[in-house]
């Protein structure tokens, strides 16, 4: 079992990356999977999608192949997105344009959103509405909205609001446990042959 975590903030030292690293550590500590892979868009941005991707441009292939392999060998994903101007960052939406070969198809994903204040609902709605159609990622019904993120999940207890921190640690354990069970269950769906894309390559 391999679970990959995508940190969707392209800001260095972002709170999203802090949360993504916490998720990775939790998966490992709780032995919810044998392997994890964390990809952060900070200092690692992908250029904007362009049509040469479809023409097997060697530069794009070199750039995307390692990521494609990591995603294809994953059983589940955690997508961490900050709320920026009430949106998912453009770099994360761009990331979702790249995966047309079934790398994430019919694999469960937990949405985690991050806000320094009381936000975080908009990126949940946006991801559920418009980031899955052709790549066919399966967002599970559970989600985690990390509000007032600066005051939780910090390494030093002195930096945390203790009640909120305790709540989010318990909530993550709960949500990641559910994600793991979906990962087990959806293996069967992919193995069934019913998800073949020979006739209907793209979603409607
Ligand atoms: C360009 C930009 C726009 C932002 N807009 C919002 C917003 O609309 N709602 C919100 O709750 N927080 C907003 N924030 C604050 C983020 O919630 C905060 O930076 C938080 O740490 C998550 O972003 P990060 O992962 O990049 O650190 C914004 C931050 C940036 C950099």
């Amino acid at each position: 079992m391999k679970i990959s975590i995508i940190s969707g903030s392209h800001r260095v030292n972002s709170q999203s990356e802090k949360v993504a690293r916490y998720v990775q550590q939790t998966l490992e500590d709780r032995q919810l999977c044998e392997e994890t892979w964390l990809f952060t868009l900070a200092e690692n941005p992908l250029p904007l999608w362009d049509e040469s991707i479809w023409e097997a441009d060697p530069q794009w292939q070199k750039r995307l192949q390692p990521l494609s392999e990591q995603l294809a060998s994953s059983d589940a994903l955690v997508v961490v997105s900050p709320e920026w101007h009430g949106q998912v960052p453009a770099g994360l939406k761009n990331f979702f344009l790249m995966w047309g070969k079934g790398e994430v198809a019919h694999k469960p994903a937990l949405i985690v959103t991050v806000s320094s204040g009381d936000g975080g609902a908009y990126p949940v709605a946006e991801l559920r509405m418009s980031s899955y159609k052709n790549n066919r990622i399966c967002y599970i019904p559970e989600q985690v909205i990390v509000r007032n993120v600066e005051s939780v999940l910090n390494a030093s207890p002195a930096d945390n609001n203790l009640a909120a921190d305790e709540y989010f640690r318990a909530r993550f354990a709960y949500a990641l446990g559910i994600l793991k069970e979906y990962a087990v269950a959806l293996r069967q769906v992919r193995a069934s042959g019913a998800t073949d894309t020979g006739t209907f390559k793209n979603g409607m």
Side-chain angles (χ1 to χ4, degrees):
M1 171 81 63
K2 172 174 172 179
I3 302 184
S4 292
I5 307 117
I6 310 302
S7 177
S9 173
H10 27 110
R11 212 163 69 84
V12 283
N13 299 321
S14 72
Q15 291 291 319
S16 294
E17 193 169 323
K18 176 188 85 175
V19 172
R21 293 200 182 283
Y22 174 78
V23 166
Q24 183 177 34
Q25 194 63 52
T26 303
L27 289 168
E28 289 172 6
D29 290 349
R30 292 186 167 260
Q31 300 182 336
L32 290 168
C33 56
E34 284 79 44
E35 197 184 340
T36 60
W37 174 64
L38 192 153
F39 178 67
T40 174
L41 288 167
E43 296 184 299
N44 210 5
L46 291 166
L48 283 180
W49 180 94
D50 74 71
E51 230 155 1
S52 65
I53 290 183
W54 285 345
E55 288 141 21
D57 175 74
Q59 271 188 318
W60 269 111
Q61 281 192 324
K62 190 170 163 219
R63 201 178 283 136
L64 293 183
Q65 191 58 29
L67 307 184
S68 176
E69 283 170 13
Q70 291 281 2
L71 294 171
S73 61
S74 299
D75 296 286
L77 294 103
V78 179
V79 177
V80 183
S81 174
E83 178 169 313
W84 282 2
H85 291 279
Q87 305 176 67
V88 171
L92 183 56
K93 294 307 286 288
N94 186 49
F95 175 85
F96 281 114
L97 295 178
M98 310 290 170
W99 316 117
K101 293 186 199 147
E103 293 92 335
V104 297
H106 307 287
K107 295 182 180 178
L110 173 70
I111 294 174
V112 176
T113 63
V114 173
S115 168
S116 54
D118 290 331
Y122 287 121
V124 173
E126 186 177 343
L127 287 170
R128 289 195 183 285
M129 188 176 76
S130 63
S131 61
Y132 69 92
K133 183 179 83 70
N134 287 355
N135 63 45
R136 292 177 163 110
I137 197 169
C138 292
Y139 291 121
I140 64 169
E142 193 65 26
Q143 63 217 8
V144 183
I145 302 177
V146 187
R147 298 195 165 111
N148 301 302
V149 63
E150 274 100 347
S151 64
V152 295
L153 308 178
N154 299 300
S156 166
D159 297 330
N160 290 329
N161 170 331
L162 293 183
D165 184 65
E166 191 181 338
Y167 172 81
F168 279 109
R169 286 172 197 264
R171 193 86 209 197
F172 269 113
Y174 176 68
L176 293 170
I178 295 173
L179 179 69
K180 185 235 163 145
E181 295 306 326
Y182 272 98
V184 172
L186 290 197
R187 272 181 177 165
Q188 191 180 326
V189 172
R190 294 194 300 282
S192 71
T195 59
D196 176 72
T197 50
T199 310
F200 301 114
K201 182 175 179 302
N202 293 326
M204 271 182 90

